[in-house]
Amino acid sequence: MITLHFYETNKAYGCFSNFSRHPVAAGGRTWATTEHFFQAAKFSDAGDVDAVHAAPTPFAAAQIGRDRTRRSMRPDWPVVRDEVMLTALRAKFAQHADLASVLASTRGAMLVEHTANDAYWGDGGDGHGLNRLGRLLEQVRAELPPAPANFVAPPWIQHPEIDPADLFWRMGRGEDCLSQAHAFWSGLPPAARKEYDQYFAVPPAWTLSWT
């Protein structure tokens, strides 16, 4: 099974991040990002909720949500936080069809928020983290209409040891590998193909074979 790492919003599959600038309607309000919704859900006081809602960036929303001087934080937060996150993710991918197509296209791949900054929602940077965000994304993915095929990595990822000009490989299973990967890529919706292309940059040696 291939693993797809995501974290920064300006990089491939960054749309899976809660900091991605995709508004969501949930809980009777529209939030600038899922991070805003998630952080606001920590509080019972309307003033604290409004402060998160008005935060100009998801980072600012997160800072408010982590402010332990605010006294209205829910005492049951550690118990309910995963369910709140799941609610946010379901809203995000239900309300943005392009994002849903990207998420569905990863069927069969493991999704990992790769960062040393978080060992609960992410992988802790070295794999020791719980990667709860990745797991919940996979749960939401399973609830979407299934993609036509499981995720297929390009041949230079599947066989990094192969020279694409190697005729023995090409005459053996190489052509099947290349054709299967290219068929998967060709069938991707535009938004999903854009993420795939950004994640798997084509090495110069593979340019002619792939294009």
Side-chain angles (χ1 to χ4, degrees):
M1 176 185 293
I2 189 166
T3 298
L4 298 177
H5 291 136
F6 66 92
Y7 183 61
E8 296 173 86
T9 59
N10 63 341
K11 294 187 177 178
Y13 298 106
C15 60
F16 296 160
S17 167
N18 287 313
F19 278 34
S20 72
R21 299 302 184 97
H22 295 93
V24 293
R29 303 178 78 167
T30 298
W31 307 85
T33 66
T34 50
E35 186 70 18
H36 283 76
F37 171 79
F38 176 78
Q39 296 296 342
K42 292 179 177 179
F43 300 113
S44 59
D45 179 78
D48 288 337
V49 173
D50 288 344
V52 177
H53 186 269
T57 66
F59 179 75
Q63 286 184 309
I64 296 170
R66 294 165 185 157
D67 182 359
R68 295 299 182 264
T69 66
R70 295 177 183 268
R71 299 181 179 276
S72 75
M73 183 170 290
R74 295 171 55 171
D76 64 343
W77 182 245
V79 177
V80 302
R81 58 184 171 179
D82 279 34
E83 193 60 36
V84 171
M85 183 66 79
L86 185 58
T87 297
L89 296 176
R90 282 172 170 158
K92 179 178 181 177
F93 291 96
Q95 295 166 28
H96 297 276
D98 56 338
L99 301 189
S101 73
V102 175
L103 183 59
S105 77
T106 67
R107 186 176 64 131
M110 180 180 294
L111 303 179
V112 175
E113 186 181 42
H114 182 53
T115 174
N117 298 328
D118 196 325
Y120 184 79
W121 298 112
D123 69 348
D126 60 3
H128 79 279
L130 297 178
N131 185 40
R132 289 301 299 151
L133 180 56
R135 297 299 187 188
L136 290 176
L137 283 165
E138 291 172 8
Q139 181 175 337
V140 173
R141 181 180 66 191
E143 297 167 359
L144 296 173
N150 279 351
F151 196 90
V152 180
W156 56 90
I157 298 298
Q158 295 186 52
H159 299 285
E161 78 286 359
I162 294 297
D163 181 336
D166 185 337
L167 291 179
F168 290 99
W169 180 74
R170 292 294 289 262
M171 296 299 290
R173 60 177 179 166
E175 285 300 329
D176 284 344
C177 175
L178 184 59
S179 63
Q180 289 169 9
H182 203 275
F184 173 78
W185 174 84
S186 298
L188 289 173
R193 188 184 299 180
K194 179 180 177 182
E195 300 297 327
Y196 188 99
D197 287 345
Q198 187 177 4
Y199 196 86
F200 299 110
V202 184
W206 281 93
T207 301
L208 292 176
S209 297
W210 186 247
T211 57

